[in-house]
């Protein structure tokens, strides 16, 4: 007996063995007449062979396919279709460059066969790539089915981040929205609409959806994003207005056994520092020490409704402070009673009638803080604060303006524009009130492109002396206010850039850079990052280098949220530290912090820790503050030890010690239940309001000695706009807590991967509610329930899985 064993050859091995045959076929092909039926058959064969035999760039596979029979294209397999797709793309690019036929009418028959074949044979990324290359994304909408639409949208959304221009970016998102809407995947479609910041699309989704439970889930998503949207249903409005946020936050705190208020000593461990030796009390500013304790107490007991200083002994604490200390002590009540609404107002109300203007003004500020992110029909704080703006004392005007910034952030309320326009324009008011009023307008109308706000802020700038704008440290908030109005709007700033050019000198240049990076925030736009880098190249005198502050911050702001871009920018910051001017070196720690908000990575901590011992005092102070930003709400033990060491090192320097205490308070913000990263929903959405708050505090730190270490440290409260619980709470359809197993692990990018890959790695299983750190993802650990949200963050409504119940019944039978 003879046995013959044959090795199965691959297509490439077979084709490579046909090199000589291919030459013969080509020669034979040329001998046929145009009308010979055999010529088209030979053309099909040559087209297939050309995928391995042709020279790069000749597009021979496509050329012979056009001559061939034009039938059975898909029968030659995936590799042939992938080659044709690449050559169609090359042909399209050449025609666009030369002004030829970009409609590809002669290639349409190939496109009509390739895309459906790929979509129905598990090659969705190939279909999406072809549509992207030839600018035919709408073709995908009709080709999606219930089996592949999730994979198509996931891949398309990941591609959108690398779009060449804003128009392509919006096209990707709009196509995804249409696909998800057609498949009635309303929560996923809403995420895309929120990404586009398009109220019209949000309204379409909310009107089309008839499922009450899904509407509630979408209301939670809108409330998290702080979008000014209302419906007729009071229950849905209450959810969107975050009216139950405080109650649920405290339930989570109770479940984790952290309801008891923390003392300042528990956070700072100051008793151990003092035990090392007697302090030189003449070197330590006692008033600044008390203010630092006020901030630490407010940050650590953020949102818990009680604390260890003001709850029991406010009447003893206020007299120990001086004017500014009383103001921030009263305002800190707003942080402690954050999101409590009416309950918080009742706790603050009694301080409106004390015989001290600083405490009264701070109480108005606290009113805004306690209503931050809360929307209801009664607006209890609006009339009170507007009345003070019209007739109150200057310090009360300031407190009311600051309160409005928080209570109505992102609300687009016209009443606030009418009330504050005079304060911005009229030069008879103090520069502080005018600058904070302009900033308030920027926060209230964030991302709205409101022309009226633009004109008022520009008038406020042009009516003031150029020398005043360049020397006053608060003038930078006029520039930031203007940038916030166009936050995330990309090319819509073109007309505004021209308007800003009328502002002369370094401040005009600073405004241009600020407006640009705000408009392109979190887009990863490489051209704009290069533009910012060019602004850092010049070696200028200090008075002419103001714009370099905005340029350094702009690099980080534009790159934030995109992993590869952030890694490249982090390397760039190392170069700027080595070769940049002093004003650039002072700003680099803040830029590094913006890339890692509430995400204390070891590499980031190491570089910032080295800078805390820099010879330049301001660089050291900014680095300490940056450590607070990267660790905010994380309770990171390594970072806590670094800050305790830093506190011991600068015991006799009141300014440095003040910044260290602020950083320690931020580290344990909300007792470790918070974060301040404005990017959420699995790193997909950017909260404009949250980013606005981060930018205000960051701008304050760009001149840390004259703003935060002086009398304007109340700008630190703006971090509250970005603060939000980092939990995942599972609820039933009646919005009652539903403890279920939840797996929490590091997120894995599965876009474009075949099959059903795991979305998390290194997971642990907990019972909800659970806490999520930066870069972590949660998924249900049981099949008994299904989630109405595709991303398990914030509040997630679960429904009973009917398939699970049916399987359970069958198993019992």
């Amino acid at each position: 007996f003879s046995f013959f064993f044959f090795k199965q050859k691959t297509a490439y091995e077979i084709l490579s063995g046909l090199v000589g045959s291919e030459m013969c076929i080509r020669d034979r092909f040329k001998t046929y007449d145009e009308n010979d039926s055999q010529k088209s058959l030979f053309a099909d064969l040559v087209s297939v062979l050309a995928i391995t035999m042709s020279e790069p760039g000749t597009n021979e596979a496509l050329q012979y396919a056009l001559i061939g029979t034009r039938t059975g294209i898909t029968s030659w397999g995936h590799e042939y279709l992938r080659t044709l797709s690449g050559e169609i793309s090359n042909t399209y690019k050449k025609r666009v460059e030369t002004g030829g036929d970009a409609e590809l009418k002669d290639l349409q028959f190939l496109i009509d066969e390739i895309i459906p074949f790929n979509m129905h044979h598990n090659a969705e990324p190939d279909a999406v790539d072809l549509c992207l290359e030839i600018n035919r994304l709408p073709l995908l909408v009709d080709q999606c089915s219930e089996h592949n639409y999730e994979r198509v949208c996931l891949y398309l959304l990941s591609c959108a981040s690398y779009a060449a221009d804003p128009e392509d970016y919006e096209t990707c998102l709009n196509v995804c929205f249409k696909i998800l809407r057609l498949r009635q995947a309303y929560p996923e479609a809403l995420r895309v609409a929120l990404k586009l910041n398009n109220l019209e699309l949000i309204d379409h989704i909310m009107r089309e959806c008839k499922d009450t439970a899904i509407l509630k889930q979408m209301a939670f998503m809108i409330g998290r994003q702080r979008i000014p949207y209302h419906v007729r249903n009071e229950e849905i409005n209450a959810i969107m207005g975050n009216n139950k946020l405080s109650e649920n936050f405290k339930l989570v705190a109770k479940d984790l056994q952290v309801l008891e208020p923390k003392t300042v000593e528990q956070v700072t461990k100051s008793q151990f520092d003092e035990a090392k030796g007697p302090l030189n009390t003449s070197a330590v500013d006692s008033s600044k020490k008390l203010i630092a304790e006020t901030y630490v107490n407010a940050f650590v007991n953020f949102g818990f409704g009680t604390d260890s200083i003001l709850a029991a002994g406010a009447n003893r604490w206020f007299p120990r402070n001086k004017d500014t200390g009383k103001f921030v002590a009263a305002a800190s009540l707003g942080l402690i009673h954050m999101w409590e609404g009416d309950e918080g107002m009742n706790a603050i109300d009694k301080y409106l009638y004390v015989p001290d203007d600083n405490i009264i003004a701070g109480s108005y500020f606290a009113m805004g803080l306690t209503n931050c992110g809360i929307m209801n029909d009664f607006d209890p704080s609006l009339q009170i604060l507007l009345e003070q703006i019209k007739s109150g004392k200057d310090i009360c005007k300031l407190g009311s303006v600051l309160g409005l910034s928080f209570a109505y952030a992102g609300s687009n309320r016209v009443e606030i524009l009418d009330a504050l326009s005079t304060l911005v324009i009229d030069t008879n008011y103090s520069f502080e009130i005018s600058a904070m009023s302009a900033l308030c307008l920027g926060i209230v109308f964030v991302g709205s492109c409101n022309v009226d706000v633009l004109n008022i802020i520009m008038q406020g700038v042009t009516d003031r002396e150029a020398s005043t704008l360049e020397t006053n440290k608060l003038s930078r908030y006029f520039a930031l206010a203007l940038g916030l109005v166009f936050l995330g709007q990309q090319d819509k700033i073109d007309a505004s850039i021209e308007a800003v050019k009328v502002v002369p000198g370094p401040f005009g240049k600073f405004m241009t850079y600020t407006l640009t990076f705000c408009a392109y925030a979190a887009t990863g736009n490489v051209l704009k990052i290069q533009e910012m880098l060019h602004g850092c190249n010049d070696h200028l005198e200090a008075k002419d280098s103001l714009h370099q502050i905005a340029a350094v911050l702009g690099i980080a702001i534009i790159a934030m949220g995109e992993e590869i871009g952030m890694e490249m920018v982090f390397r760039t910051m190392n170069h700027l530290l080595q070769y940049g001017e002093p004003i650039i070196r002072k700003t680099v720690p803040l830029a590094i912090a913006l890339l890692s908000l509430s995400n204390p990575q070891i590499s980031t901590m190491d570089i910032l820790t080295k800078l805390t011992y820099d010879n330049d005092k301001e660089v050291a102070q900014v680095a300490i503050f940056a450590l607070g930003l990267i660790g905010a709400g994380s309770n990171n033990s390594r970072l806590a030890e670094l800050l305790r060491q830093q506190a011991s090192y600068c015991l006799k320097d009141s300014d440095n010690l003040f910044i260290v205490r602020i950083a320690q308070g931020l580290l344990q913000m909300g007792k470790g239940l918070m974060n301040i990263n404005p990017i959420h929903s699995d790193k997909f959405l950017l909260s404009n309001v949250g980013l606005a708050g981060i930018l205000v505090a960051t701008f304050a730190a760009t001149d840390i000695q004259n703003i935060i270490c002086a009398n304007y440290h109340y700008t630190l409260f703006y971090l509250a706009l970005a603060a939000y619980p980092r939990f995942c709470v599972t609820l039933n359809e009646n919005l009652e807590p539903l403890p279920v197993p939840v797996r929490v692990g590091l997120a894995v990018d599965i876009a474009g991967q075949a099959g059903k890959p795991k979305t998390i790695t290194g997971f642990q299983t907990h019972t909800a509610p659970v806490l999520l750190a930066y870069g972590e993802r949660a998924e249900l650990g049981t099949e008994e329930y299904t989630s109405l949200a595709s991303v398990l963050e914030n509040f997630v409504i679960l429904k009973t899985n009917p398939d699970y119940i049916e399987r359970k019944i069958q198993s019992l039978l």
Side-chain angles (χ1 to χ4, degrees), residues 491-512:
D491 54 357
K492 293 180 183 178
I493 61 163
D494 293 342
S496 303
I497 289 289
E498 295 300 319
V500 168
K501 289 181 180 178
V502 303
V503 182
F507 187 73
K509 202 169 184 181
F510 177 79
M511 288 187 74
T512 301

Side-chain angles (χ1 to χ4, degrees), residues 170 173-178 181 186 189-190 192-208 218 222 229:
E170 289 191 8
L173 294 182
N174 279 313
V175 169
C176 277
F177 177 82
K178 290 178 182 177
R181 187 179 174 186
Y186 293 123
L190 179 64
V192 178
L194 291 172
K195 181 78 170 177
L196 287 164
N197 197 24
N198 190 319
L199 280 175
E200 186 178 349
L201 297 183
I202 294 171
D203 186 60
H204 286 327
I205 289 296
M206 295 297 287
R207 288 178 183 275
E208 281 184 20
M218 293 194 292
I222 293 172
Y229 178 75

Side-chain angles (χ1 to χ4, degrees), residues 327-521:
F327 178 78
V328 297
S332 69
L333 287 166
L335 279 191
I336 295 166
H337 295 279
M338 192 77 165
W339 308 311
E340 290 187 2
D342 293 340
E343 187 179 339
M345 293 278 285
N346 293 332
I348 295 164
D349 183 68
K350 57 186 175 182
Y351 298 107
L352 295 174
Y353 308 104
V354 298
D356 191 308
D357 290 339
N358 287 289
I359 297 175
I360 294 172
S363 300
Y364 289 129
F365 189 179
M367 275 189 180
L369 281 166
T370 195
N371 286 288
C372 182
I374 305 298
M375 294 184 290
N376 58 53
D377 296 333
F378 301 108
D379 278 342
S381 59
L382 183 62
Q383 293 305 320
I384 298 173
L385 297 178
L386 290 182
E387 184 180 345
Q388 286 301 313
I389 287 174
K390 293 176 183 177
S391 57
K393 298 178 181 179
D394 280 357
I395 185 66
C396 293
K397 277 186 171 64
L398 177 63
S400 299
V401 167
L402 296 173
L404 288 171
S405 301
F406 288 85
Y408 300 99
S411 65
N412 297 336
R413 295 293 289 266
V414 180
E415 307 99 300
I416 298 174
L417 174 61
D418 297 335
L420 297 187
S421 57
T422 304
L423 298 184
V424 176
I425 297 169
D426 195 341
T427 55
N428 292 322
Y429 291 104
S430 69
F431 197 96
E432 180 181 9
I433 290 177
S434 295
M436 290 300 122
S437 298
L439 183 61
C440 178
L441 290 179
I443 293 173
V444 171
F445 292 89
V446 61
S448 66
C449 299
N450 190 296
V451 178
D452 295 331
V453 178
L454 166 67
N455 293 334
I456 288 170
I457 295 173
M458 284 302 301
Q459 188 174 344
V461 171
T462 54
D463 286 353
R464 287 172 169 81
E465 297 287 340
S467 58
T468 303
L469 294 171
E470 291 170 14
T471 56
N472 195 298
K473 303 304 178 183
L474 296 179
S475 61
R476 60 196 67 195
Y477 285 123
F478 277 103
L480 179 58
L482 190 63
L484 292 179
V485 176
F486 293 91
L487 189 64
Q489 299 304 308
Q490 301 195 43
D491 54 357
K492 293 180 183 178
I493 61 163
D494 293 342
S496 303
I497 289 289
E498 295 300 319
V500 168
K501 289 181 180 178
V502 303
V503 182
F507 187 73
K509 202 169 184 181
F510 177 79
M511 288 187 74
T512 301
Y513 275 86
T514 302
L515 186 58
T516 301
F517 80 66
C518 283
Y520 288 89

Side-chain angles (χ1 to χ4, degrees), residues 257 260 268 281 355 402 420 573 590 613 667 718 779:
Q257 299 180 355
E260 288 296 319
T268 62
T281 53
L402 296 173
L420 297 187
M573 292 302 159
L590 293 172
Y613 297 97
L667 179 64
Y718 280 91
E779 63 179 29

Side-chain angles (χ1 to χ4, degrees), residues 733-805:
E733 295 181 55
N734 297 321
L735 306 186
E736 298 165 341
L738 183 64
V740 296
V742 174
R743 291 190 287 264
V744 178
L746 292 176
V748 178
D749 185 9
I750 61 170
Q753 294 187 21
K756 293 183 178 181
K758 299 292 185 182
T759 58
I760 59 175
T761 183
F763 63 83
Q764 292 182 335
T765 303
H766 305 278
T767 300
V770 295
L771 297 180
L772 301 176
Y774 182 86
E776 289 185 338
R777 183 183 289 160
E779 63 179 29
L780 287 178
T782 176
E783 295 182 0
E784 186 176 353
Y785 298 96
T786 58
S787 169
L788 298 185
S790 57
V791 177
L792 269 63
E793 286 183 20
N794 196 22
F795 297 100
V796 180
I797 298 176
L798 304 182
K799 267 188 171 181
T800 305
N801 186 354
D803 295 334
Y804 176 84
I805 295 175

Side-chain angles (χ1 to χ4, degrees), residues 521-703:
T523 61
N525 190 299
V526 178
L527 296 178
K528 295 303 173 182
I529 291 177
Q530 290 176 346
E531 184 180 324
M532 296 291 151
L533 281 169
H534 285 308
C536 300
N537 288 339
D538 301 327
H539 298 279
L540 305 169
E541 295 183 11
K543 64 177 183 178
D544 298 324
S545 59
L546 183 63
H547 69 279
Q548 292 184 327
I549 294 174
V552 175
L553 292 178
I555 295 170
I557 292 294
I558 295 172
M560 73 186 304
E562 199 273 296
E563 296 296 332
I564 298 174
M566 289 196 297
E567 185 179 344
M568 298 301 294
V569 166
F570 186 77
R571 296 177 187 175
T572 303
M573 292 302 159
N574 286 319
H575 294 301
L576 292 177
L577 274 175
Q578 293 177 10
Y579 306 111
E581 293 295 301
I583 195 167
I584 292 177
R585 293 189 75 249
K586 293 174 187 176
T587 314
V588 164
L590 293 172
I592 293 173
L594 288 170
L595 297 172
S596 301
L597 293 168
S598 293
N599 180 27
Q601 297 175 319
I602 292 176
S603 57
T604 308
M605 280 192 284
D606 286 345
I607 190 171
L608 290 176
T609 302
K610 291 176 183 176
L611 291 173
T612 59
Y613 297 97
D614 196 89
N615 292 329
D616 188 325
K617 182 179 178 180
E618 286 197 53
V619 172
Q621 289 175 344
V622 171
I624 295 168
F625 181 67
L627 283 173
L629 292 178
I630 68 168
S634 68
N635 268 357
N636 186 280
S637 57
R638 188 171 188 268
L639 186 50
E641 181 59 32
L642 290 173
L643 290 174
R644 280 198 293 270
Q645 293 173 6
Q646 189 62 225
S648 300
Y649 179 76
C650 57
L651 273 176
K652 296 182 181 180
D653 188 326
S654 62
D655 287 342
N656 279 27
L657 187 59
F658 177 73
I659 302 299
V660 172
R661 297 304 186 212
I662 296 298
Q664 288 178 314
L666 288 172
L667 179 64
Q668 299 199 34
M669 178 181 275
K671 300 173 190 172
L673 306 186
M674 301 277 184
N675 73 38
I676 59 169
N677 199 315
I679 297 174
H680 62 100
S681 191
D682 203 15
K683 302 181 187 177
F684 182 70
L685 295 178
L686 171 72
S687 169
N688 283 348
V689 172
L691 183 56
I694 293 293
L695 286 174
V696 175
T698 304
F699 266 53
T702 56
D703 193 355

